[in-house]
Amino acid sequence: MSEPTDERGLPTKADDEAAVTGTLEEQLAHWREKATRQGKDLAVLQSAFEQFRTESSELEQQLEEEVQQGEDLLEKLKQQLAHANEILKDREDDLRELRQKSAGELHQSEERGRLLQSKNEELTDRVRQLEQANDQLTRKLRAATAVTTDLRAEAEGAREESIVLQNQLEAQQERHREENQRLRDELRDLKLELRVRENSAASSARSSVAATDSLSADQGRSSLSEAPEVRATATAPGVGSVGVGARSDPASNDLTLRTVSELLELVQVIKQKLQ
């Protein structure tokens, strides 16, 4: 029969009391069995204790490693936190500067916006004025186009008239050239005739001077002083020959003067026509 045991598998006190009341052999057997049972329990407990100690050592080592890793991680996190705080401080400084800069740029943008709005209003007025000026120029252009058309028509008529006048002018110039050529020929003939008459008058003058010198003995000395002047003027065309002839032969000299005067007048007329 199995003896009653407690919850740990050990004999109860009632069992021990029952063993004491029995015989000696029963008591020895009871205590032997109890010692054997307790030895087994002790071995089991010892094994469990060894296993627990091993497991606890491993668990302790694992916990120490985890604690070390946690400390390392904590230190790393602290460093990261410090670095993050520095970055955050820098970012706050940058953000503060950016806000100040943004405020300044916003103020400048507002000023620029007001300036641009003012310029836009001015440009709008300018565009309105230019549109009005464009309308006026368009009307003027239309009027100018009409005037230009009329002027072109008048210019075309004037061009045709100028062509006609040019043709008439060319014909008149041709007639003038022919007339000038004819007058030049006449002038050449008149010059030849004048030269012949001057030579004839000079010959008459020299004959009259010789007769006058032989007849006027009392004026010989004065005649001798005036002879070079008479001979010099006698060689000049027209004038000298006429003066000498006047003292010698008045009628002949008058005719010669009239002829020379007429020739000179004719020469002047021809020169005016040639001009």
Side-chain angles (χ1 to χ4, degrees), residues 164-216:
V164 174
L165 292 175
Q166 183 69 24
N167 294 329
Q168 293 178 357
L169 179 61
E170 291 177 355
Q172 187 175 0
Q173 288 178 349
E174 184 65 26
R175 289 194 299 270
H176 285 169
R177 281 194 295 270
E178 294 175 356
E179 182 67 20
N180 290 335
Q181 186 63 37
R182 185 180 64 79
L183 292 174
R184 286 192 184 95
D185 295 337
E186 292 180 358
L187 179 61
R188 186 178 63 253
D189 296 338
L190 290 174
K191 285 182 178 180
L192 291 174
E193 184 179 356
L194 179 60
R195 191 175 296 111
V196 170
R197 291 189 180 187
E198 286 178 351
N199 292 331
S200 176
S203 299
S204 299
R206 284 194 296 272
S207 300
S208 299
V209 169
T212 303
D213 290 339
S214 62
L215 294 175
S216 302

Side-chain angles (χ1 to χ4, degrees), residues 39-199:
K40 291 180 179 180
D41 292 338
L42 182 61
V44 171
L45 290 175
Q46 186 71 28
S47 177
F49 177 73
E50 291 293 335
Q51 184 178 1
F52 175 75
R53 187 173 61 182
T54 302
E55 291 178 355
S56 64
S57 177
E58 293 176 355
L59 181 60
E60 183 179 0
Q61 185 178 0
Q62 185 178 1
L63 288 175
E64 288 178 356
E65 291 177 356
E66 290 179 357
V67 169
Q68 185 65 33
Q69 291 177 359
E71 289 178 355
D72 295 339
L73 181 60
L74 181 61
E75 185 66 24
K76 186 176 181 180
L77 290 174
K78 286 181 180 179
Q79 294 177 358
Q80 291 179 355
L81 180 61
H83 183 64
N85 288 330
E86 292 178 357
I87 294 175
L88 180 60
K89 186 177 180 181
D90 295 338
R91 293 294 183 272
E92 288 177 352
D93 295 337
D94 294 341
L95 181 60
R96 190 179 301 107
E97 292 178 359
L98 184 61
R99 285 179 179 175
Q100 293 176 357
K101 185 177 180 180
S102 298
E105 290 180 353
L106 179 61
H107 180 70
Q108 292 178 359
S109 299
E110 290 177 353
E111 292 292 335
R112 192 179 298 110
R114 286 192 290 270
L115 181 60
L116 290 175
Q117 185 176 2
S118 176
K119 288 185 177 180
N120 187 23
E121 293 176 356
E122 292 178 359
L123 289 175
T124 303
D125 296 337
R126 182 60 178 168
V127 168
R128 188 181 303 109
Q129 294 175 2
L130 290 175
E131 289 177 351
Q132 294 176 357
N134 187 25
D135 295 337
Q136 294 178 359
L137 289 175
T138 302
R139 290 191 294 269
K140 290 181 179 179
L141 179 61
R142 291 173 182 171
T145 303
V147 173
T148 303
T149 303
D150 296 338
L151 290 175
R152 285 179 179 175
E154 293 178 359
E156 185 66 23
R159 188 175 66 85
E160 294 177 355
E161 185 178 356
S162 66
I163 292 172
V164 174
L165 292 175
Q166 183 69 24
N167 294 329
Q168 293 178 357
L169 179 61
E170 291 177 355
Q172 187 175 0
Q173 288 178 349
E174 184 65 26
R175 289 194 299 270
H176 285 169
R177 281 194 295 270
E178 294 175 356
E179 182 67 20
N180 290 335
Q181 186 63 37
R182 185 180 64 79
L183 292 174
R184 286 192 184 95
D185 295 337
E186 292 180 358
L187 179 61
R188 186 178 63 253
D189 296 338
L190 290 174
K191 285 182 178 180
L192 291 174
E193 184 179 356
L194 179 60
R195 191 175 296 111
V196 170
R197 291 189 180 187
E198 286 178 351
N199 292 331

